Amino acid sequence: MSRRVMLALPSAALMALGFGAAPASAKVVASESAAAAECVEHTDARVAKGGTAKDPNDATASEVAAAEKIFHKALADRGLQLGADGRAYDAAGRAVPGTAIPVYFNIITSGAAGSVTQARVTKQMTVLNKAFSSAGFTFQLKATKRVNNASWFNLGYGSSAERAMKTALRKGGTNTLNIYTANLSGGLLGWATFPFDGNAGDKMDGVVLLHSSLPGGSAAPYNLGDTGTHEVGHWMGLWHTFQGGCAGAGDQVADTPAEKSPAFGCPAGRNTCPAPGMDPIRNFMDYTDDSCMNMFTAGQRARMNAQWAAFRG
């Protein structure tokens, strides 16, 4: 699973959390709770400065290699292959197209706490459609469900409450995005399942977001909706831009410059690796402020296409 985490230092940050078999991405905001120690494994997270979230499940090089092996086998099992551009192609040489993704929004509250207006849900959908349209993906809101449940509202990543919530609420198959908003423990801003972690289409599959990270929320500088973009990027198969640091294949995407560590705030001119290219601080898969993020690369768009074809199409 991957997590985006918001820490409480002066400027905002994202931090990679562990690689595992369930939710894929998360972002942190405050102090860690005992619930976070319960074991549904996650992989990556977005973290904000000053938070107390730990990183128990960083993806090692061998774990990334294992995930990539699963990915390539899944493509082969479907009669697909990667082209030189990183997209998936069938035996006739036809590129697998993008698609419309059905979305179910689940808003968890404790009384009035955590309430999210339908206007903010609509704005979040607009943010997602703008970010992913160039990759050939659109998001169509099918329903919004509001659940008043205090035991689910203060949600710990990997907790029994998360499992109970998702088991009760998740809808659709491998191609369906379920989004849950709540008050996340441990300073997390959000987390998501990866498509290759064995959860595609099962009850744990989906994206969890801090309710105040949606557009118009109070989690500045993470309140423009790009925690959602970051976590859906993981749900679509993307690693962090800083995966692997300066060495090796990094995030498995050739056109994202190597980056030694996550960038916080919006540090123009940052360059942490000797390889060509400045750090990709504008990339949705880094840890910079929402206002700093504005792009996926062509390689990332191609990878999402191929991951979709392998696991969700």
Side-chain angles (χ1 to χ4, degrees):
M1 183 178 248
S2 166
R3 303 171 285 171
R4 192 185 186 202
V5 188
M6 181 170 92
L7 309 181
L9 294 182
S11 63
L14 294 181
M15 164 181 159
L17 304 179
F19 176 73
S25 165
K27 187 182 176 185
V28 181
V29 190
S31 64
E32 192 171 19
S33 78
E38 298 181 47
C39 215
V40 172
E41 294 180 13
H42 299 58
T43 305
D44 286 310
R46 190 183 182 197
V47 186
K49 285 187 176 179
T52 59
K54 307 301 180 183
D55 189 355
N57 297 49
D58 272 334
T60 65
S62 61
E63 287 167 337
V64 172
E68 294 304 298
K69 185 175 181 180
I70 292 168
F71 168 41
H72 288 282
K73 183 179 186 302
L75 282 173
D77 288 347
R78 294 191 176 200
L80 302 171
Q81 59 185 355
L82 288 180
D85 60 357
R87 291 176 61 89
Y89 290 84
D90 65 17
R94 295 170 297 203
V96 176
T99 190
I101 299 171
V103 179
Y104 290 89
F105 233 100
N106 300 280
I107 298 169
I108 312 302
T109 63
S110 178
S115 180
V116 175
T117 66
Q118 196 62 37
R120 289 177 62 202
V121 171
T122 299
K123 288 179 180 178
Q124 181 66 71
M125 296 298 298
T126 298
V127 169
L128 293 178
N129 277 305
K130 181 178 179 181
F132 290 90
S133 62
S134 62
F137 294 99
T138 59
F139 297 85
Q140 298 179 349
L141 182 64
K142 294 300 183 182
T144 302
K145 186 177 183 68
R146 300 171 189 277
V147 180
N148 181 14
N149 187 322
S151 65
W152 293 352
F153 178 62
N154 292 309
L155 193 66
Y157 117 82
S159 66
S160 57
E162 180 192 3
R163 183 173 292 279
M165 175 191 73
K166 289 183 172 180
T167 299
L169 299 179
R170 191 186 186 282
K171 294 182 180 296
T174 59
N175 69 325
T176 304
L177 174 60
N178 282 250
I179 297 176
Y180 308 84
T181 68
N183 185 43
L184 308 188
S185 300
L188 288 168
L189 293 165
W191 61 81
T193 51
F194 280 124
F196 46 73
D197 62 12
N199 290 303
D202 76 5
K203 287 297 186 180
M204 295 307 296
D205 190 23
V207 165
V208 178
L209 300 175
L210 178 68
H211 64 86
S212 53
S213 74
L214 271 65
S218 61
Y222 306 114
N223 61 346
L224 302 181
D226 282 322
T227 288
T229 307
H230 181 98
E231 301 308 338
V232 173
H234 287 305
W235 188 80
M236 299 284 284
L238 297 182
W239 299 102
H240 289 133
T241 53
F242 47 85
Q243 173 62 45
C246 297
D251 65 353
Q252 307 297 310
V253 177
D255 62 357
T256 54
E259 185 177 23
K260 185 176 181 179
S261 60
F264 307 146
C266 196
R270 186 176 190 255
N271 188 11
T272 56
C273 290
M278 306 297 283
D279 287 3
I281 65 165
R282 301 288 180 183
N283 199 284
F284 289 122
M285 303 313 294
D286 205 339
Y287 273 5
T288 49
D289 295 352
D290 281 13
S291 60
C292 192
M293 299 177 162
N294 60 20
M295 66 170 292
F296 291 116
T297 67
Q300 287 174 314
R301 295 193 295 269
R303 179 175 171 86
M304 287 189 281
N305 165 271
Q307 289 272 327
W308 184 272
F311 298 108
R312 297 197 181 277

